[in-house]
Each structure stands twice: as C-alpha cells, then as structure tokens.
Amino acid sequence: MDLSNGIEKILWTEEQILERVSELGSELTRDFKSRAITPVVVGVATGAFMFLADLVRKIQLPMTVDFIRVESYGSGTVSNGKPRISCELKVDVRGKHVILVEDIVDTGNTLSCLIDYMKSKGASSVSVCTLLDKPARRKVHFELVGEGKYYCGFKCPDYFVVGYGFDFDEQYRNLPFVGVLKPEMYEP
Ligand code: IMP
C-alpha cells in the first residue's frame, strides 16, 4: 500500500513549502512585533493543522494558539456552500489581534463566516494567513477587520489538491507535499 499512489503530480514539494512558510513567519513577526497585545493565532481544523504547526515555529513572538472547526465539505470535492462552526474557540478574542490560519481560500465562504464570527466575538483586528488561494473559484467577497492583513503562501491553480493537511475524504493529509489527485481517485 503506497500513500503516493493516487497522486498525479506534485505542485509544491516539502522544501518549497517550508521555505515559503519561513518567509510568512518572518513577515508576521515583522508586522506584529510592534503591537502592544500578543496575537491569537487560530488554526482552522482540520486542514490547517500542519501549516499552523510549521508556521508558529517561525513566528518569533509571544502568542496564544487555538483551533476552530468549520464544516463545509461532505466527502466530495465541491463545497456545499454553507459553512457551520462546529467547534468553538477556547480563547477569548475580545480586544485581541486574531490571525486566522487557513489551509486554502476557495469560494471564500468559510473565511467570510469566520471573519464574521471573530467580529461578533469582539476581535480588534482579524488577519488571514492562508497557505493556498484559488482565486479562480472565489464566490464570496470578505473584508478583514481593523488593521488586519492578508498573507498567502501560493496562488493555486484550479485543481483539487491533497497533502500537507489537505484531504480527500479524510485521507492524504499526512503527505509532506501538496499534490493533485488522479481524477479516477474521486470519479465514480
Ligand atoms: P471555501 O469555503 O470554499 O473557501 O473552502 C474552504 C475549505 O474547503 C478549505 O478550508 C478546505 O478545507 C476545503 N478545500 C477547498 N479546496 C480544497 C482542495 O483543493 N483540497 C482539499 N480541500 C479543499
């Protein structure tokens, strides 16, 4: 049984990802070091778990870390468009600078729902750090809060990707690279 069997091609290798994550960590360190309040880094489970773990080690600042869970996909490759927060934050974000760490911004539905949620909880700013962004699929416009900034690792072509946290039907998350699944793996 070989985990890489279902992969058609690799888009970003482990080395390329780690290099970019390191750059993002430096940018975040630079941008947040002058703020009086320590940031709250919120990973969007499950997809962002690996990115979050690598990213926070590259941010040279005191911070708190939490996770939030949003459900928007069933077992297919197309979003059902109605994200729902299924596991809430533990940390109080009122008056804090939130950095949402996402695996990918696709239609923008999940992000828009999360930004509204952080606003409703009184965050003083909401920034977003996403590993991938698929601009071709954007349907929902979102606005950051306060002095929030948008950070993106790579622009992603319109493929369904797996690996480095990304799943298909809860599998492939543990691949160290981001790749494209062979169509026969998800077509009936
Ligand atoms: P959005 O709400 O459409 O922006 O979708 C965001 C969520 O969909 C992400 O956080 C991912 O979990 C999932 N997603 C979108 N595109 C892909 C993909 O290519 N592979 C795996 N998951 C994806």
Side-chain angles (χ1 to χ4, degrees), residues 62-115:
M63 64 170 73
T64 50
V65 177
D66 201 353
F67 276 97
I68 194 161
R69 183 179 287 277
V70 185
E71 311 286 348
S72 60
Y73 274 76
S75 58
T77 59
V78 180
S79 164
N80 65 22
K82 287 193 210 96
R84 179 180 70 85
I85 291 170
S86 62
C87 178
E88 302 241 352
L89 287 174
K90 197 169 144 197
V91 168
D92 182 6
V93 296
R94 183 159 297 279
K96 304 273 176 62
H97 299 298
V98 172
I99 305 171
L100 276 171
V101 177
E102 262 277 29
D103 52 359
I104 190 165
V105 182
D106 189 37
T107 62
N109 272 308
T110 305
L111 200 51
S112 157
C113 161
L114 283 169
I115 291 172

Side-chain angles (χ1 to χ4, degrees), residues 101-172:
V101 177
E102 262 277 29
D103 52 359
I104 190 165
V105 182
D106 189 37
T107 62
N109 272 308
T110 305
L111 200 51
S112 157
C113 161
L114 283 169
I115 291 172
D116 286 351
Y117 175 83
M118 295 300 166
K119 239 200 244 176
S120 77
K121 295 285 174 190
S124 80
S125 77
V126 181
S127 297
V128 172
C129 184
T130 184
L131 180 67
L132 303 183
D133 188 330
K134 266 190 208 166
R137 297 201 10 110
R138 194 74 87 257
K139 289 205 178 101
V140 176
H141 172 75
F142 53 84
E143 261 171 42
L144 302 170
V145 178
E147 305 160 75
K149 278 184 70 177
Y150 189 74
Y151 304 83
C152 169
F154 304 101
K155 288 260 171 351
C156 183
D158 192 7
Y159 293 118
F160 191 81
V161 298
V162 293
Y164 195 71
F166 292 96
D167 76 309
F168 170 66
D169 211 4
E170 295 304 328
Q171 295 202 56
Y172 303 100

Side-chain angles (χ1 to χ4, degrees), residues 12-21 176-177:
W12 292 283
T13 64
E14 184 174 9
E15 292 71 27
Q16 288 170 322
I17 294 169
L18 293 179
E19 197 184 321
R20 186 68 189 117
V21 171
F177 55 80

